[in-house]
Amino acid sequence: MILRHKLLLAQMPLALALLLVGVVAVNTLRELGRAGQGILADNYRSVLAMQDIIEHLERLDSAALFIVAGERQRGLVQVEANRAPLETTLRIQEGNITEPGEAEATRRLSEAWSRYQTRYERFLGQEEGGARGVYFETLAPGFQAAREAARAILVLNQDAMVRKSEAQQRQSQRVNVLMGLAVVGALAGGLVASASLTQRALRPVGVLSGAVRRLGEGDLGTRAVVEGGDEIAGLARDFNAMAEALQRYQRSSLGELLQAQASAQAAIDSLPDLVVVFGVEGGVLNVNRAAEEALRLSLEGGGMLGQVEPEVRVVLERVRAHVLGGKGAYLPTGYEEAVRLEAPEGARWLLPRGSPVYGEGGGVVGATVILQDVTRLRRFDELKNDLVATVAHEFRTPLTSLRMAIHLCVEEAAGPITEKQADLLHAAREDCERLQGIVDDLLDLSKLQSGREVLELRPVSTREVLEAALAPHRMAAEDKGVRLREEPDPEVEDTRVEADPERLQLVLSNLVANAVRHTPREGEVVVRARRDGEARIRFEVADTGEGIAPEHQARIFEKFYRVPGSATGSAGLGLSIAQEIVQAHGGELGLTSEVGRGSTFGFSLPRSRRDEQG
Ligand code: ADP
């Protein structure tokens, strides 16, 4: 049933109550009317009849008196005028017997009337003189008896009328009470029934609104249970379908999200390397299980590095600063960068690596730092270094005596030699010297790398360093036709840097040697020193030589790396030694170069404190 019909039905009890009251009212009114009518029909007519009869009887009596008085003619006329109507009226009364005892009284009247009539006949038949006696003897008492009989009926009916009228009054009072009760009862019943029907019709609205409220509070499993086929049930069905769809959507999107998140976490957890993800503010956003265990890092701690061992923290912070500073990915240059981490199973060496996390807009929104466990590889590297150092060391003494022997032969200390022999020995001596240079380089490098060599830092005059670095190469440059000059900034000429002078000289010497070697005739090599901020001096060696292609630039600092096709004669160790020394001083050897136009190598060293004060 549709809602409109239900609401209409709810009005029905009230309408029915109204109808009932109406019917009852019409019925009782009709009954009352009928009762009144009854009194009129039953009694009033008898009363009239009796008055009529009494009137006629009195006229007859006065007619008899007329006759007694000698007015016989007038009396007879009057007798004639009254006898027939009385008869008629008496017939009417005989047909209108309504009260108990009325029949009896009427019979008595009829008898009295017949007797009176008989006596009247006899009276009329008397002579004038005898009429008077008959009248008083029989006629007058007959008249009295008939009149009394009529009056008895009259009284009977009048009493009945009074009684009935009183009864009617009582009945109408009862009816009043009854009507009042009926109205009240019908109204109350109708109202109760209407209210309960309306409530029943509207109960689903309450159910539905409760379900809507629960859904609003986030309970997507809620459903509105409304039976039937009306508009509200339809609304409830639509609501349930909507809730179902929402729940499905939530389940699927949340499920997929959780699954994706879990699998991403599982993926980084499965890595043996330590992974730490930093946000753009520098806080830890995520760590994998390996990092959590090894570094005692947890996200619950607010993502701070406070718990991490200081050495590792320094490395993490350095790589993070590099990546978040917008310098791109951070790649380690060698195993030497690995940081030591004490673990229950022994020391571990972790090699840092960092890469930026890009946001949707393409900007850096975070940094992923990976600490790769290189304990085994580093041990191999150490073994290799040890081996190289040992071999180099073992080569050194025989090489020296070899060179000595060749030298003595060339100088003919062991007897004369032919020109051809001299040429061969010259070449052998040069190779020997080169070999010795390589062996020296190797030894230097392994000493630097193993950390056995401790820097002897002291204030060193900038100008002196530059001069000392250039001096050994002036001859070679001149031979080659390359201009070699120093260009100290007047501002820094008299400053001093905090450095190990011999090592610093070695660095500059290596750079100048390379520059001269890779610069063609007519070219120029310039060595500069200038201020780099308040507390540092920057050294640069610039040439106008062949330059270095970008793909080799990152690699030329590696050990034994030489640009393919470049002049042979060395082992590719010079730049790595230089880098080691600069890094040991707390700097970084950098390079800018363009193929065909030249290269510039440079690094910064701290100014001497004593220098600053003085
Ligand atoms: P080596 O001792 O063999 O020169 P380095 O480590 O000093 O080795 O240099 C590595 C490579 O870098 C060299 O093979 C050379 O090709 C290149 N190189 C170094 N300096 C320069 C320069 N100033 N101009 C061009 N190439 C250079």
Side-chain angles (χ1 to χ4, degrees):
M1 208 190 308
I2 61 174
L3 188 62
R4 183 156 32 97
H5 293 166
K6 280 190 181 170
L7 289 177
L8 263 178
L9 184 75
Q11 307 304 319
M12 287 307 271
L14 265 182
L16 278 178
L18 203 64
L19 193 71
L20 191 76
V21 168
V23 167
V24 168
V26 166
N27 261 349
T28 36
L29 281 180
R30 196 190 297 152
E31 207 119 292
L32 276 177
R34 207 179 292 146
Q37 204 104 40
I39 294 173
L40 278 185
D42 296 351
N43 303 111
Y44 189 56
R45 214 184 291 159
S46 292
V47 168
L48 283 182
M50 287 312 109
Q51 281 173 345
D52 213 20
I53 284 175
I54 288 169
E55 170 95 22
H56 288 307
L57 280 175
E58 278 171 354
R59 290 279 172 87
L60 283 174
D61 185 51
S62 66
L65 283 178
F66 281 158
I67 293 170
V68 169
E71 292 278 337
R72 191 175 174 87
Q73 204 51 46
R74 254 180 90 184
L76 283 178
V77 171
Q78 197 159 320
V79 168
E80 281 316 303
N82 285 288
R83 200 189 290 169
L86 195 149
E87 262 321 309
T88 318
T89 310
L90 188 60
R91 294 290 93 74
I92 291 173
Q93 167 59 25
E94 278 167 354
N96 188 31
I97 305 292
T98 53
E99 297 305 316
E102 194 177 6
E104 176 66 24
T106 305
R107 197 173 46 76
R108 269 206 302 277
L109 175 62
S110 296
E111 283 168 8
W113 166 244
S114 342
R115 257 196 315 275
Y116 183 54
Q117 255 185 322
T118 321
R119 288 181 189 177
Y120 218 103
E121 291 300 326
R122 210 155 12 105
F123 166 72
L124 288 179
Q126 295 293 316
E127 289 303 308
E128 214 167 299
R132 183 185 153 95
V134 172
Y135 174 77
F136 284 107
E137 269 171 40
T138 58
L139 198 57
F143 159 69
Q144 292 290 355
R147 197 173 62 174
E148 281 313 306
R151 195 162 279 156
I153 292 173
L154 180 73
V155 169
L156 188 85
N157 274 291
Q158 273 173 339
D159 285 353
M161 273 175 85
V162 170
R163 209 175 54 242
K164 281 185 183 173
S165 156
E166 278 170 3
Q168 201 179 6
Q169 203 167 356
R170 276 200 306 280
Q171 191 189 3
S172 87
Q173 269 168 0
R174 250 202 333 272
V175 164
N176 273 350
V177 172
L178 209 71
M179 282 289 288
L181 283 178
V183 167
V184 169
L187 215 66
L191 270 179
V192 167
S194 282
S196 96
L197 277 175
T198 311
Q199 198 187 4
R200 266 183 59 182
L202 294 183
R203 197 180 57 90
V205 177
V207 172
L208 193 58
S209 85
V212 169
R213 194 183 56 244
R214 284 195 300 282
L215 186 81
E217 285 164 358
D219 177 9
L220 293 189
T222 191
R223 295 290 179 274
V225 185
V226 177
E227 314 248 295
D230 63 1
E231 291 92 336
I232 299 178
L235 193 59
R237 273 195 302 279
D238 293 346
F239 168 83
N240 288 345
M242 181 189 78
E244 180 79 40
L246 268 177
Q247 199 178 20
R248 251 200 326 273
Y249 176 73
Q250 190 206 28
R251 237 185 260 135
S252 68
S253 56
L254 191 72
E256 279 168 19
L257 255 174
L258 286 175
Q259 208 175 354
Q261 205 264 346
S263 56
Q265 187 63 40
I268 70 163
D269 276 346
S270 72
L271 294 177
D273 300 329
L274 282 51
V275 180
V276 184
V277 182
F278 293 98
V280 75
E281 304 290 339
V284 177
L285 288 187
N286 197 8
V287 289
N288 70 346
R289 193 166 306 138
E292 223 172 60
E293 286 166 7
L295 303 181
R296 296 192 299 278
L297 247 182
S298 80
L299 293 181
E300 277 83 61
M304 302 319 290
L305 294 176
Q307 288 277 79
V308 181
E309 284 183 26
E311 295 86 8
V312 183
R313 192 167 71 219
V314 167
V315 171
L316 282 174
E317 282 167 354
R318 195 180 72 225
V319 178
R320 178 182 70 184
H322 177 100
V323 176
L324 292 181
K327 294 185 192 159
Y330 177 90
L331 290 174
T333 50
Y335 293 119
E336 317 80 62
E337 275 196 44
V339 60
R340 191 184 156 98
L341 177 74
E342 290 305 331
E345 66 272 13
R348 290 172 74 184
W349 289 91
L350 303 172
L351 189 62
R353 198 182 277 274
S355 45
V357 179
Y358 294 106
E360 271 176 22
V364 175
V365 295
T368 305
V369 179
I370 299 173
L371 295 176
Q372 190 185 1
D373 192 330
V374 291
T375 313
R376 281 165 59 82
L377 293 173
R378 204 188 131 93
R379 203 157 294 145
F380 281 134
D381 198 53
E382 275 172 2
L383 278 177
K384 192 189 75 193
N385 282 353
D386 285 353
L387 181 74
V388 168
T390 315
V391 169
H393 189 74
E394 292 303 320
F395 270 27
R396 208 156 139 140
T397 325
L399 258 181
T400 314
S401 49
L402 204 60
R403 215 179 92 203
M404 262 325 272
I406 294 172
H407 184 68
L408 288 175
C409 287
V410 170
E411 297 299 318
E412 297 191 334
I417 51 170
T418 64
E419 206 168 316
K420 217 159 182 158
Q421 284 170 332
D423 281 351
L424 287 171
L425 284 172
H426 268 294
R429 188 170 63 176
E430 249 170 53
D431 282 347
C432 242
E433 276 165 4
R434 232 174 37 223
L435 208 55
Q436 193 153 31
I438 292 175
V439 166
D440 286 347
D441 280 355
L442 281 174
L443 274 174
D444 277 346
L445 193 65
S446 65
K447 266 191 240 160
L448 279 169
Q449 280 183 339
S450 64
R452 259 173 288 168
E453 198 78 342
V454 184
L455 294 180
E456 285 172 22
L457 294 180
R458 56 189 175 84
V460 187
S461 157
T462 308
R463 192 177 357 161
E464 277 170 24
V465 169
L466 289 190
E467 270 167 17
L470 286 187
H473 303 285
R474 289 197 193 280
M475 278 272 284
E478 214 169 288
D479 284 351
K480 222 184 148 187
V482 172
R483 236 170 332 125
L484 180 62
R485 63 186 176 87
E486 57 192 289
E487 194 182 277
D489 194 322
E491 230 187 316
V492 301
E493 226 179 341
D494 295 323
T495 57
R496 288 180 294 179
V497 289
E498 194 71 17
D500 181 326
E502 271 176 43
R503 296 282 161 201
L504 179 56
Q505 209 171 310
L506 184 63
V507 172
L508 284 170
S509 179
N510 267 344
L511 293 179
V512 173
N514 276 347
V516 172
R517 195 180 311 148
H518 296 287
T519 302
R521 190 167 287 279
E522 301 298 309
E524 187 179 46
V525 173
V526 185
V527 185
R528 296 191 201 105
R530 57 181 172 80
R531 267 181 61 170
D532 180 15
E534 275 307 306
R536 294 177 85 85
I537 305 281
R538 185 164 180 83
F539 293 88
E540 280 180 354
V541 178
D543 64 57
T544 57
E546 61 204 41
I548 303 163
E551 64 268 29
H552 301 300
Q553 285 182 15
R555 298 202 58 193
I556 55 170
F557 297 105
E558 290 175 15
K559 271 180 279 177
F560 305 110
Y561 186 82
R562 295 188 326 202
V563 174
S566 71
T568 50
S570 64
L573 285 171
L575 285 179
S576 39
I577 290 175
Q579 180 70 290
E580 285 288 338
I581 294 173
V582 172
Q583 281 177 352
H585 279 86
E588 185 75 31
L589 182 55
L591 158 71
T592 53
S593 180
E594 211 178 313
V595 174
R597 306 202 67 165
S599 318
T600 302
F601 288 85
F603 59 93
S604 295
L605 293 182
R607 269 175 77 161
S608 163
R609 288 261 168 76
R610 281 164 269 182
D611 192 45
E612 277 170 51
Q613 284 156 4

